[in-house]
Amino acid sequence: MAEVENSNNPGLLRQQTALARFGELALRSDDLDQILGEACRVVGEALGTDLAKVLELQEDGETLLVRAGVGWKPGVVGKVTTKASDKTSEGHALKTGKPMISANIATERRFTYPPFLVENGVKAVANVPIIGAADKPPSASCRSTAASRAGSRTPTPRS
């Protein structure tokens, strides 16, 4: 931890501290909802964005439930679903097993985006697959932000 304390990069220090705190919670808790909610909070804090979510692939293999999240309007977390198809960035991330970034969803032509993203002011997304145990379906961890930077490959957080 001495290396972290001596860091000259405040952003890196913030991220490392957030990750360490999350790791402590994950080791102490057996409440998956609490862990996923905290994961969303930590991702948002560490990356400086106001929206984050975990989508859970349902048993039908194509429906994604917003299982956990921070910053979303009431009625999204635990209720909203979307499809994991080739036409969605979330579906693409799950199919390829690789992160998928859309720096500006208004100009993105590869994918369509579910209405709840637009209704929450999302301008950019980053989807990262979470591969679980062999008997559990994969999920997509998605960081969303309400701002974007033209020409950027990564979403820019809202100030």
Side-chain angles (χ1 to χ4, degrees):
M1 194 76 156
E3 291 177 19
V4 173
E5 292 172 6
N6 294 327
S7 174
N8 292 327
N9 183 335
L12 180 60
L13 178 60
R14 183 184 70 234
Q15 292 172 355
Q16 290 173 333
T17 301
L19 182 59
R21 288 183 182 146
F22 173 71
E24 290 173 0
L25 170 72
L27 289 172
R28 285 191 322 262
S29 179
D30 61 356
D31 181 346
L32 184 56
D33 288 330
Q34 179 187 23
I35 292 169
L36 293 176
E38 181 64 7
C40 291
R41 191 194 65 73
V42 167
V43 166
E45 179 183 309
L47 298 177
T49 187
D50 50 357
L51 297 168
K53 66 186 176 305
V54 173
L55 299 173
E56 181 180 58
L57 187 62
Q58 302 299 287
E59 290 187 20
D60 66 6
E62 62 184 47
T63 302
L64 293 165
L65 170 69
V66 180
R67 169 79 186 262
V70 294
W72 300 96
K73 292 179 180 178
V76 172
V77 176
K79 295 180 174 60
V80 170
T81 61
T82 188
K83 294 295 182 185
S85 75
D86 291 339
K87 296 179 183 180
T88 67
S89 60
E90 298 86 359
H92 180 77
L94 287 175
K95 181 178 179 180
T96 64
K98 296 181 180 178
M100 206 311 299
I101 296 170
S102 291
N104 185 341
I105 68 172
T107 60
E108 176 69 68
R109 299 294 173 238
R110 296 175 294 171
F111 307 108
T112 60
Y113 295 90
F116 83 93
L117 291 180
V118 176
E119 292 163 3
N120 279 269
V122 171
K123 305 292 184 205
V125 298
N127 297 294
V128 180
I130 301 171
I131 308 302
D135 62 338
K136 300 286 184 188
S139 299
S141 171
C142 306
R143 173 179 89 109
S144 304
T145 185
S148 65
R149 181 183 312 167
S152 173
R153 295 197 70 219
T154 59
T156 303
R158 174 169 49 181
S159 302

mmCIF file with all atom_site columns, all heavy atoms in Angstrom, residues 111-123:
data_model
loop_
_atom_site.group_PDB
_atom_site.id
_atom_site.type_symbol
_atom_site.label_atom_id
_atom_site.label_alt_id
_atom_site.label_comp_id
_atom_site.label_asym_id
_atom_site.label_entity_id
_atom_site.label_seq_id
_atom_site.pdbx_PDB_ins_code
_atom_site.Cartn_x
_atom_site.Cartn_y
_atom_site.Cartn_z
_atom_site.occupancy
_atom_site.B_iso_or_equiv
_atom_site.pdbx_formal_charge
_atom_site.auth_seq_id
_atom_site.auth_comp_id
_atom_site.auth_asym_id
_atom_site.auth_atom_id
_atom_site.pdbx_PDB_model_num
ATOM 1   N N   . PHE A 1 111 ? -24.975 0.139  -33.636 1.00 0.00 ? 111 PHE A N   1
ATOM 2   C CA  . PHE A 1 111 ? -25.909 -0.419 -32.674 1.00 0.00 ? 111 PHE A CA  1
ATOM 3   C C   . PHE A 1 111 ? -27.122 0.476  -32.452 1.00 0.00 ? 111 PHE A C   1
ATOM 4   O O   . PHE A 1 111 ? -27.081 1.668  -32.721 1.00 0.00 ? 111 PHE A O   1
ATOM 5   C CB  . PHE A 1 111 ? -25.219 -0.627 -31.318 1.00 0.00 ? 111 PHE A CB  1
ATOM 6   C CG  . PHE A 1 111 ? -23.954 -1.411 -31.405 1.00 0.00 ? 111 PHE A CG  1
ATOM 7   C CD1 . PHE A 1 111 ? -22.733 -0.795 -31.223 1.00 0.00 ? 111 PHE A CD1 1
ATOM 8   C CD2 . PHE A 1 111 ? -23.974 -2.768 -31.694 1.00 0.00 ? 111 PHE A CD2 1
ATOM 9   C CE1 . PHE A 1 111 ? -21.545 -1.512 -31.310 1.00 0.00 ? 111 PHE A CE1 1
ATOM 10  C CE2 . PHE A 1 111 ? -22.800 -3.495 -31.787 1.00 0.00 ? 111 PHE A CE2 1
ATOM 11  C CZ  . PHE A 1 111 ? -21.581 -2.871 -31.595 1.00 0.00 ? 111 PHE A CZ  1
ATOM 12  N N   . THR A 1 112 ? -28.167 -0.148 -31.909 1.00 0.00 ? 112 THR A N   1
ATOM 13  C CA  . THR A 1 112 ? -29.306 0.606  -31.396 1.00 0.00 ? 112 THR A CA  1
ATOM 14  C C   . THR A 1 112 ? -29.192 0.592  -29.875 1.00 0.00 ? 112 THR A C   1
ATOM 15  O O   . THR A 1 112 ? -28.540 -0.292 -29.304 1.00 0.00 ? 112 THR A O   1
ATOM 16  C CB  . THR A 1 112 ? -30.646 -0.017 -31.829 1.00 0.00 ? 112 THR A CB  1
ATOM 17  O OG1 . THR A 1 112 ? -30.718 -1.355 -31.321 1.00 0.00 ? 112 THR A OG1 1
ATOM 18  C CG2 . THR A 1 112 ? -30.785 -0.028 -33.339 1.00 0.00 ? 112 THR A CG2 1
ATOM 19  N N   . TYR A 1 113 ? -29.839 1.552  -29.240 1.00 0.00 ? 113 TYR A N   1
ATOM 20  C CA  . TYR A 1 113 ? -29.735 1.679  -27.790 1.00 0.00 ? 113 TYR A CA  1
ATOM 21  C C   . TYR A 1 113 ? -31.123 1.682  -27.175 1.00 0.00 ? 113 TYR A C   1
ATOM 22  O O   . TYR A 1 113 ? -32.039 2.283  -27.721 1.00 0.00 ? 113 TYR A O   1
ATOM 23  C CB  . TYR A 1 113 ? -28.959 2.953  -27.420 1.00 0.00 ? 113 TYR A CB  1
ATOM 24  C CG  . TYR A 1 113 ? -27.530 2.835  -27.894 1.00 0.00 ? 113 TYR A CG  1
ATOM 25  C CD1 . TYR A 1 113 ? -27.174 3.270  -29.162 1.00 0.00 ? 113 TYR A CD1 1
ATOM 26  C CD2 . TYR A 1 113 ? -26.577 2.211  -27.116 1.00 0.00 ? 113 TYR A CD2 1
ATOM 27  C CE1 . TYR A 1 113 ? -25.878 3.110  -29.632 1.00 0.00 ? 113 TYR A CE1 1
ATOM 28  C CE2 . TYR A 1 113 ? -25.286 2.040  -27.573 1.00 0.00 ? 113 TYR A CE2 1
ATOM 29  C CZ  . TYR A 1 113 ? -24.940 2.495  -28.834 1.00 0.00 ? 113 TYR A CZ  1
ATOM 30  O OH  . TYR A 1 113 ? -23.666 2.319  -29.294 1.00 0.00 ? 113 TYR A OH  1
ATOM 31  N N   . PRO A 1 114 ? -31.278 1.012  -26.038 1.00 0.00 ? 114 PRO A N   1
ATOM 32  C CA  . PRO A 1 114 ? -32.600 0.943  -25.404 1.00 0.00 ? 114 PRO A CA  1
ATOM 33  C C   . PRO A 1 114 ? -33.062 2.325  -24.943 1.00 0.00 ? 114 PRO A C   1
ATOM 34  O O   . PRO A 1 114 ? -32.248 3.165  -24.559 1.00 0.00 ? 114 PRO A O   1
ATOM 35  C CB  . PRO A 1 114 ? -32.388 -0.007 -24.224 1.00 0.00 ? 114 PRO A CB  1
ATOM 36  C CG  . PRO A 1 114 ? -30.926 -0.104 -24.011 1.00 0.00 ? 114 PRO A CG  1
ATOM 37  C CD  . PRO A 1 114 ? -30.255 0.282  -25.296 1.00 0.00 ? 114 PRO A CD  1
ATOM 38  N N   . PRO A 1 115 ? -34.369 2.551  -24.992 1.00 0.00 ? 115 PRO A N   1
ATOM 39  C CA  . PRO A 1 115 ? -34.920 3.860  -24.623 1.00 0.00 ? 115 PRO A CA  1
ATOM 40  C C   . PRO A 1 115 ? -34.496 4.345  -23.236 1.00 0.00 ? 115 PRO A C   1
ATOM 41  O O   . PRO A 1 115 ? -34.307 5.541  -23.034 1.00 0.00 ? 115 PRO A O   1
ATOM 42  C CB  . PRO A 1 115 ? -36.430 3.647  -24.685 1.00 0.00 ? 115 PRO A CB  1
ATOM 43  C CG  . PRO A 1 115 ? -36.616 2.492  -25.608 1.00 0.00 ? 115 PRO A CG  1
ATOM 44  C CD  . PRO A 1 115 ? -35.412 1.623  -25.437 1.00 0.00 ? 115 PRO A CD  1
ATOM 45  N N   . PHE A 1 116 ? -34.347 3.445  -22.263 1.00 0.00 ? 116 PHE A N   1
ATOM 46  C CA  . PHE A 1 116 ? -34.018 3.908  -20.915 1.00 0.00 ? 116 PHE A CA  1
ATOM 47  C C   . PHE A 1 116 ? -32.672 4.621  -20.863 1.00 0.00 ? 116 PHE A C   1
ATOM 48  O O   . PHE A 1 116 ? -32.465 5.506  -20.025 1.00 0.00 ? 116 PHE A O   1
ATOM 49  C CB  . PHE A 1 116 ? -34.104 2.781  -19.878 1.00 0.00 ? 116 PHE A CB  1
ATOM 50  C CG  . PHE A 1 116 ? -32.890 1.901  -19.779 1.00 0.00 ? 116 PHE A CG  1
ATOM 51  C CD1 . PHE A 1 116 ? -31.888 2.179  -18.854 1.00 0.00 ? 116 PHE A CD1 1
ATOM 52  C CD2 . PHE A 1 116 ? -32.753 0.791  -20.595 1.00 0.00 ? 116 PHE A CD2 1
ATOM 53  C CE1 . PHE A 1 116 ? -30.770 1.375  -18.747 1.00 0.00 ? 116 PHE A CE1 1
ATOM 54  C CE2 . PHE A 1 116 ? -31.645 -0.026 -20.488 1.00 0.00 ? 116 PHE A CE2 1
ATOM 55  C CZ  . PHE A 1 116 ? -30.646 0.266  -19.569 1.00 0.00 ? 116 PHE A CZ  1
ATOM 56  N N   . LEU A 1 117 ? -31.751 4.302  -21.775 1.00 0.00 ? 117 LEU A N   1
ATOM 57  C CA  . LEU A 1 117 ? -30.475 5.016  -21.800 1.00 0.00 ? 117 LEU A CA  1
ATOM 58  C C   . LEU A 1 117 ? -30.698 6.471  -22.207 1.00 0.00 ? 117 LEU A C   1
ATOM 59  O O   . LEU A 1 117 ? -30.210 7.392  -21.546 1.00 0.00 ? 117 LEU A O   1
ATOM 60  C CB  . LEU A 1 117 ? -29.490 4.351  -22.769 1.00 0.00 ? 117 LEU A CB  1
ATOM 61  C CG  . LEU A 1 117 ? -28.946 2.983  -22.382 1.00 0.00 ? 117 LEU A CG  1
ATOM 62  C CD1 . LEU A 1 117 ? -27.983 2.480  -23.450 1.00 0.00 ? 117 LEU A CD1 1
ATOM 63  C CD2 . LEU A 1 117 ? -28.268 3.007  -21.030 1.00 0.00 ? 117 LEU A CD2 1
ATOM 64  N N   . VAL A 1 118 ? -31.424 6.663  -23.290 1.00 0.00 ? 118 VAL A N   1
ATOM 65  C CA  . VAL A 1 118 ? -31.707 8.013  -23.776 1.00 0.00 ? 118 VAL A CA  1
ATOM 66  C C   . VAL A 1 118 ? -32.516 8.797  -22.741 1.00 0.00 ? 118 VAL A C   1
ATOM 67  O O   . VAL A 1 118 ? -32.229 9.963  -22.466 1.00 0.00 ? 118 VAL A O   1
ATOM 68  C CB  . VAL A 1 118 ? -32.438 7.950  -25.135 1.00 0.00 ? 118 VAL A CB  1
ATOM 69  C CG1 . VAL A 1 118 ? -32.818 9.343  -25.615 1.00 0.00 ? 118 VAL A CG1 1
ATOM 70  C CG2 . VAL A 1 118 ? -31.581 7.230  -26.171 1.00 0.00 ? 118 VAL A CG2 1
ATOM 71  N N   . GLU A 1 119 ? -33.512 8.148  -22.137 1.00 0.00 ? 119 GLU A N   1
ATOM 72  C CA  . GLU A 1 119 ? -34.355 8.803  -21.131 1.00 0.00 ? 119 GLU A CA  1
ATOM 73  C C   . GLU A 1 119 ? -33.559 9.243  -19.900 1.00 0.00 ? 119 GLU A C   1
ATOM 74  O O   . GLU A 1 119 ? -33.970 10.155 -19.192 1.00 0.00 ? 119 GLU A O   1
ATOM 75  C CB  . GLU A 1 119 ? -35.484 7.860  -20.703 1.00 0.00 ? 119 GLU A CB  1
ATOM 76  C CG  . GLU A 1 119 ? -36.496 7.613  -21.803 1.00 0.00 ? 119 GLU A CG  1
ATOM 77  C CD  . GLU A 1 119 ? -37.370 6.390  -21.548 1.00 0.00 ? 119 GLU A CD  1
ATOM 78  O OE1 . GLU A 1 119 ? -37.245 5.744  -20.482 1.00 0.00 ? 119 GLU A OE1 1
ATOM 79  O OE2 . GLU A 1 119 ? -38.182 6.075  -22.444 1.00 0.00 ? 119 GLU A OE2 1
ATOM 80  N N   . ASN A 1 120 ? -32.423 8.604  -19.664 1.00 0.00 ? 120 ASN A N   1
ATOM 81  C CA  . ASN A 1 120 ? -31.569 8.962  -18.533 1.00 0.00 ? 120 ASN A CA  1
ATOM 82  C C   . ASN A 1 120 ? -30.426 9.883  -18.945 1.00 0.00 ? 120 ASN A C   1
ATOM 83  O O   . ASN A 1 120 ? -29.509 10.129 -18.160 1.00 0.00 ? 120 ASN A O   1
ATOM 84  C CB  . ASN A 1 120 ? -31.027 7.704  -17.857 1.00 0.00 ? 120 ASN A CB  1
ATOM 85  C CG  . ASN A 1 120 ? -32.041 7.101  -16.906 1.00 0.00 ? 120 ASN A CG  1
ATOM 86  O OD1 . ASN A 1 120 ? -32.061 7.427  -15.719 1.00 0.00 ? 120 ASN A OD1 1
ATOM 87  N ND2 . ASN A 1 120 ? -32.905 6.237  -17.413 1.00 0.00 ? 120 ASN A ND2 1
ATOM 88  N N   . GLY A 1 121 ? -30.453 10.367 -20.172 1.00 0.00 ? 121 GLY A N   1
ATOM 89  C CA  . GLY A 1 121 ? -29.455 11.330 -20.622 1.00 0.00 ? 121 GLY A CA  1
ATOM 90  C C   . GLY A 1 121 ? -28.120 10.744 -21.015 1.00 0.00 ? 121 GLY A C   1
ATOM 91  O O   . GLY A 1 121 ? -27.124 11.466 -21.111 1.00 0.00 ? 121 GLY A O   1
ATOM 92  N N   . VAL A 1 122 ? -28.060 9.450  -21.274 1.00 0.00 ? 122 VAL A N   1
ATOM 93  C CA  . VAL A 1 122 ? -26.799 8.804  -21.620 1.00 0.00 ? 122 VAL A CA  1
ATOM 94  C C   . VAL A 1 122 ? -26.347 9.258  -23.013 1.00 0.00 ? 122 VAL A C   1
ATOM 95  O O   . VAL A 1 122 ? -27.128 9.266  -23.954 1.00 0.00 ? 122 VAL A O   1
ATOM 96  C CB  . VAL A 1 122 ? -26.933 7.265  -21.575 1.00 0.00 ? 122 VAL A CB  1
ATOM 97  C CG1 . VAL A 1 122 ? -25.700 6.585  -22.142 1.00 0.00 ? 122 VAL A CG1 1
ATOM 98  C CG2 . VAL A 1 122 ? -27.194 6.820  -20.150 1.00 0.00 ? 122 VAL A CG2 1
ATOM 99  N N   . LYS A 1 123 ? -25.078 9.632  -23.111 1.00 0.00 ? 123 LYS A N   1
ATOM 100 C CA  . LYS A 1 123 ? -24.489 10.050 -24.383 1.00 0.00 ? 123 LYS A CA  1
ATOM 101 C C   . LYS A 1 123 ? -23.410 9.090  -24.859 1.00 0.00 ? 123 LYS A C   1
ATOM 102 O O   . LYS A 1 123 ? -23.095 9.044  -26.041 1.00 0.00 ? 123 LYS A O   1
ATOM 103 C CB  . LYS A 1 123 ? -23.878 11.448 -24.252 1.00 0.00 ? 123 LYS A CB  1
ATOM 104 C CG  . LYS A 1 123 ? -24.838 12.505 -23.757 1.00 0.00 ? 123 LYS A CG  1
ATOM 105 C CD  . LYS A 1 123 ? -25.902 12.800 -24.770 1.00 0.00 ? 123 LYS A CD  1
ATOM 106 C CE  . LYS A 1 123 ? -26.791 13.931 -24.273 1.00 0.00 ? 123 LYS A CE  1
ATOM 107 N NZ  . LYS A 1 123 ? -28.104 13.906 -24.840 1.00 0.00 ? 123 LYS A NZ  1
#
